[in-house]
Amino acid sequence: MFDQDKWQEILSTIKKNKLRSFLTGFSVAWGIFMLIILLGSGKGLQNGVETEFKQDAINSIWIYPGQTSIPYKGYSLGRQIKMTNNDYDEVNKNVKDLEYISARFNASWSGSISYKNEYGSFDIISCNPGCQQIENASIKEGRFINQPDIEKFRKVAIIGLKVVDALFKDSVNPIGKYLKVNGIPFEVVGVFSDPNERDMNRIYVPVSTAQKVFNGGNTIHNLSFTTTGTPEESKKLVEYLRNDFAKRHNFDPTDMQALYINNTLERYEQFQNMFKGIRIFVWIIGIGTIIAGIVGVSNIMMIVVKERTKEIGIRKAIGASPGSIISLILLESVLITSFAGYVGLVLGVGLLQLLSKAMENVPFIKDPQADFSVAIYATLLLIISGAIAGFVPANRAARIKPIIALRDE
Amino acid sequence: MIRIENLHKSYTTGVNKLHVIKGIDLRIEAGELVSIMGSSGSGKSTLLNIVGILDNYDQGSYHLDNMLITEMSEKKAALLRNKYIGFVFQSFNLISFKNAMENVALPLYYQNVSRKKRNIAAMEFLDRMGLKDWANHLPNELSGGQKQRIAIARSMITKPKIILADEPTGALDTATSYDVMKLFKEINDLGITVIIVTHEKDISEMTNKIIRLKDGLIESVNGTKILVEDHVNEMSNV
């Protein structure tokens, strides 16, 4: 295979037929380039949406009370449903695949928070320990809310990194310091960060403390929990919860406005299905691009052989065997397509890198990267199909009588 | 060198069968300078192609250097052409993207001679043709006479036993034609058999033996008429 003289002959032929070589290579390079861009964009979109989802747990179910819209057992419609700590306990007790659970009490306070002379307005979220996993918050220092905080109504706060930046100047360690929340002092026991930038403007306090301090009784404004069940199971669970709450709060189980249940796993699954769709779409276009490339290469190879018929005749007249003719044409095509495929690969990956940098802050697009092995396989496919497309006419040309080839004008 | 007996060849075009060579007997000894003449359609080019192993025949026999040339693989035919025969064509048939030197050197590529050696040999032959200064020119930068001399140099480079020329002066003016013929004579003086197909009388007259073909048969050799019935006897006396 490695015959230096043969390669020299091939290289000089390529060099002296630049346009022909370029056209052969171009369809391959373009096909691979487009494929890489296509696969990369699809992947980027998927990465982007998955990142958005990672901001909260993807397997959580959120329950919000609403207003009844159907009269039920003597109750008129328009009744406000009130959730209480009892709902928290019931769900905690009865849902079998439950992982983390948290209730929330939304205090009707302004959210003005101060430390010494620094003031700021932040979201105050009162919740249970399970809130950390549901919100996907990670502790940077100290700890999150724990069960004793809830039981003993401790006035503690876990604050986001942005809150730390805003209130604690000169890199003072906030742990153990007292914040004033609407004038009431809360001890900072932890600092958290969150994949969602906005959520780092929050401070978390125990739900029981909030209920007590702000006269909330046992009211909760929403309930959220994560499960380890499959999407199918979680759909059944939602069904069960609706019936269970309907019984406890006396509303029609078919009354969709009395209780809102948001199943993120179901939504995640919908996105997954959408991605399946996008992936299939990308593949269809990708395969189409490759087929166009194959057709292009085949076409050019056929023209090349036709154009070289006379040259083949001359070579045969002066002593070239059919085998040497075929290998000359095929090696030339393989050399051009491999090189062009490589160029397409490099250009495609390069462009994706540039795009990746340029679109860093564009939501729903992240790390557009092509599957490298797919690109390599596609290149190999084009090389092989180019070789096959060249082989058929080359074989025919190499076998016709030189006298006929020479007559070809 | 060449021994042909009762050679037949026909071409099939669609439903028509064209009987081009209808039983030719021919003997050409080593070192002869022969011309084959005839009007178009007389079968002279076909005969030359068969002699050059570019085409096969239907009936009879053809011995080249005491070797029976019959149906053989393309590979073997290519080998024999490369070893025994040099071709010169009317339309030169140079490879357009190769320069003069590379064109001359190409037959040696198929003998696996290294690039360096074959280029040296090619330069030597170009020098003999007086074309050393044109070695790096592409064929389309050269005149017809120059192209034909390059083609002759190419046919010579493998030191063949026979040179077959198909209308080598057909595309050249008279003065250039005579130059080319002079070249063929010099080649012949080296002991190489030269066979020239032509329809020009003055060209054929520069050769030592003129074979006239008519309708697929030999009409005369050096003007001596040959009758079909005593074809075989006459030929053996030539």
Side-chain angles (χ1 to χ4, degrees):
Chain A
M1 181 83 174
F2 195 81
D3 178 347
Q4 201 194 347
D5 220 38
K6 186 176 233 160
W7 285 107
Q8 257 169 357
E9 178 75 17
I10 289 166
L11 281 176
S12 76
T13 310
I14 291 174
K15 238 183 271 169
K16 283 167 186 167
N17 295 281
K18 288 200 181 76
L19 181 67
R20 188 174 81 195
S21 309
F22 171 77
L23 286 176
T24 312
F26 183 76
S27 60
V28 173
W30 185 251
I32 297 296
F33 178 76
M34 287 310 289
L35 187 75
I36 298 254
I37 298 297
L38 213 60
L39 290 177
S41 318
K43 189 81 187 158
L45 200 60
Q46 187 172 4
N47 283 344
V49 173
E50 269 173 6
T51 313
E52 297 278 321
F53 264 100
K54 272 185 199 130
Q55 292 173 357
D56 290 326
I58 56 162
N59 54 348
S60 58
I61 292 176
W62 297 69
I63 306 169
Y64 303 88
Q67 258 183 351
T68 58
S69 60
I70 301 172
Y72 185 71
K73 284 186 180 169
Y75 292 101
S76 68
L77 49 79
R79 184 167 52 95
Q80 187 78 41
I81 300 295
K82 269 199 168 70
M83 294 201 317
T84 64
N85 288 348
N86 184 40
D87 290 311
Y88 173 90
D89 294 334
E90 288 292 323
V91 170
N92 198 11
K93 197 169 69 194
N94 295 331
V95 176
K96 77 173 175 345
D97 291 326
L98 188 126
E99 215 181 357
Y100 301 102
I101 181 164
S102 175
R104 275 191 197 182
F105 171 78
N106 299 342
S108 51
W109 51 23
S110 68
S112 164
I113 293 163
S114 63
Y115 172 72
K116 290 187 178 165
N117 292 325
E118 302 291 340
Y119 291 82
S121 180
F122 301 101
D123 298 329
I124 299 150
I125 310 290
S126 67
C127 58
N128 293 84
C131 186
Q132 185 193 344
Q133 284 78 16
I134 295 165
E135 289 290 342
N136 221 358
S138 50
I139 290 297
K140 290 288 150 199
E141 260 178 276
R143 61 172 177 86
F144 202 73
I145 297 165
N146 59 23
Q147 204 50 39
D149 291 338
I150 303 286
E151 282 160 13
K152 293 178 179 156
F153 310 101
R154 283 181 186 151
K155 292 200 196 75
V156 292
I158 290 84
I159 61 177
L161 283 173
K162 293 212 166 161
V163 181
V164 177
D165 289 343
L167 295 183
F168 294 90
K169 308 284 175 185
D170 308 324
S171 52
V172 173
N173 185 358
I175 303 291
K177 303 288 188 299
Y178 283 84
L179 291 178
K180 279 197 175 145
V181 180
N182 277 15
I184 300 157
F186 276 76
E187 185 187 359
V188 177
V189 294
V191 173
F192 73 91
S193 95
D194 194 296
N196 186 341
E197 295 267 317
R198 234 184 13 230
D199 284 1
M200 289 204 273
N201 275 318
R202 285 175 171 178
I203 85 165
Y204 291 111
V205 298
V207 62
S208 58
T209 314
Q211 284 169 335
K212 198 168 188 182
V213 169
F214 302 101
N215 300 320
N218 62 354
T219 307
I220 58 175
H221 292 108
N222 80 47
L223 191 59
S224 55
F225 60 89
T226 62
T227 69
T228 54
T230 62
E232 279 312 304
E233 283 168 345
S234 76
K235 265 178 229 165
K236 270 187 203 137
L237 181 59
V238 168
E239 204 60 30
Y240 159 79
L241 287 170
R242 193 166 282 289
N243 286 316
D244 186 46
F245 274 73
K247 220 181 287 163
R248 209 162 36 243
H249 294 280
N250 291 312
F251 63 83
D252 190 327
T254 60
D255 187 350
M256 301 310 282
Q257 287 177 34
L259 195 73
Y260 299 105
I261 302 180
N262 183 6
N263 185 356
T264 59
L265 194 58
E266 204 175 347
R267 222 153 54 95
Y268 185 70
E269 198 193 26
Q270 282 168 359
F271 267 96
Q272 286 293 326
N273 285 337
M274 187 182 87
F275 278 120
K276 220 181 268 167
I278 290 178
R279 259 201 302 274
I280 291 170
F281 179 71
V282 163
W283 271 108
I284 288 172
I285 296 185
I287 289 169
T289 312
I290 292 295
I291 290 174
I294 291 174
V295 171
V297 169
S298 311
N299 221 342
I300 290 164
M301 282 311 293
M302 257 134 107
I303 292 167
V304 163
V305 171
K306 180 88 192 121
E307 189 192 284
R308 293 180 79 170
T309 305
K310 186 152 193 187
E311 181 200 333
I312 291 168
I314 298 170
R315 284 180 186 269
K316 287 192 78 175
I318 59 178
S321 64
S324 79
I325 298 280
I326 294 170
S327 75
L328 189 74
I329 290 172
L330 285 198
L331 286 178
E332 186 188 316
S333 112
V334 167
L335 196 69
I336 293 173
T337 47
S338 317
F339 180 73
Y342 178 73
V343 169
L345 207 69
V346 168
L347 286 181
V349 170
L351 185 66
L352 279 185
Q353 288 287 333
L354 285 180
L355 283 181
S356 177
K357 281 226 173 68
M359 304 212 289
E360 231 160 29
N361 294 318
V362 179
F364 291 105
I365 298 247
K366 194 172 185 253
D367 287 341
Q369 234 136 51
D371 192 341
F372 220 70
S373 61
V374 170
I376 303 254
Y377 281 127
T379 313
L380 283 179
L381 189 67
L382 281 185
I383 292 170
I384 292 168
S385 46
I388 292 171
F391 177 78
V392 176
N395 189 37
R396 205 184 310 139
R399 287 193 194 284
I400 54 174
K401 293 270 168 203
I403 185 67
I404 292 163
L406 281 173
R407 218 178 280 151
D408 185 83
E409 290 294 338
Chain B
M1 178 57 66
I2 289 171
R3 200 168 80 236
I4 288 172
E5 274 152 17
N6 194 26
L7 192 78
H8 286 266
K9 170 77 182 171
S10 49
Y11 290 112
T12 318
T13 48
V15 285
N16 298 322
K17 205 170 175 196
L18 194 62
H19 204 171
V20 185
I21 292 178
K22 302 167 179 170
I24 284 181
D25 296 287
L26 180 64
R27 226 174 233 271
I28 293 170
E29 302 304 328
E32 279 193 277
L33 175 58
V34 182
S35 63
I36 299 176
M37 286 196 72
S39 55
S40 62
S42 61
K44 57 187 191 311
S45 285
T46 306
L47 180 62
L48 193 77
N49 289 331
I50 291 170
V51 171
I53 330 179
L54 289 172
D55 209 347
N56 47 18
Y57 54 91
D58 301 334
Q59 254 182 61
S61 68
Y62 165 36
H63 286 84
L64 171 66
D65 207 16
N66 288 325
M67 196 168 26
L68 179 66
I69 307 298
T70 173
E71 282 286 327
M72 60 175 75
S73 71
E74 278 285 345
K75 198 175 170 181
K76 182 136 185 260
L79 199 75
L80 286 176
R81 281 196 294 271
N82 186 270
K83 200 171 159 195
Y84 284 97
I85 303 163
F87 289 95
V88 178
F89 301 93
Q90 178 177 5
S91 54
F92 321 123
N93 281 338
L94 299 172
I95 292 175
S96 58
F97 59 84
K98 286 181 175 290
N99 68 29
M101 181 185 70
E102 288 166 332
N103 263 296
V104 173
L106 195 61
L108 291 182
Y109 168 73
Y110 290 109
Q111 287 185 358
N112 294 322
V113 175
S114 80
R115 192 181 190 80
K116 211 170 159 185
K117 272 191 190 163
R118 59 177 198 258
N119 284 349
I120 290 169
M123 284 308 283
E124 203 179 292
F125 276 92
L126 281 175
D127 196 19
R128 268 203 239 169
M129 301 289 160
L131 287 169
K132 203 176 181 180
D133 296 338
W134 300 88
N136 294 316
H137 287 250
L138 291 177
N140 60 12
E141 297 164 342
L142 302 169
S143 72
Q146 286 171 323
K147 278 193 249 192
Q148 199 57 299
R149 275 185 285 164
I150 286 163
I152 293 167
R154 181 179 66 183
S155 71
M156 294 278 296
I157 198 162
T158 53
K159 302 193 171 74
K161 295 212 161 108
I162 307 171
I163 285 186
L164 299 178
D166 189 4
E167 302 272 8
T169 58
L172 305 175
D173 60 55
T174 312
T176 323
S177 295
Y178 289 176
D179 285 346
V180 167
M181 284 313 293
K182 223 174 101 193
L183 211 54
F184 278 126
K185 269 191 176 159
E186 285 167 30
I187 292 166
N188 184 240
D189 289 341
L190 298 172
I192 297 172
T193 312
V194 177
I195 302 174
I196 298 166
V197 165
T198 183
H199 63 268
E200 292 168 77
K201 203 159 179 288
D202 52 342
I203 297 296
S204 67
E205 274 162 3
M206 285 179 228
T207 63
N208 304 334
K209 183 172 176 181
I210 302 169
I211 297 168
R212 280 184 182 278
L213 290 190
K214 194 180 179 187
D215 294 336
L217 286 170
I218 292 178
E219 189 190 26
S220 69
V221 175
N222 280 342
T224 315
K225 289 250 190 261
I226 290 176
L227 296 169
V228 178
E229 38 274 25
D230 50 29
H231 220 244
V232 179
N233 304 331
E234 286 290 331
M235 277 310 294
S236 50
N237 297 334
V238 175

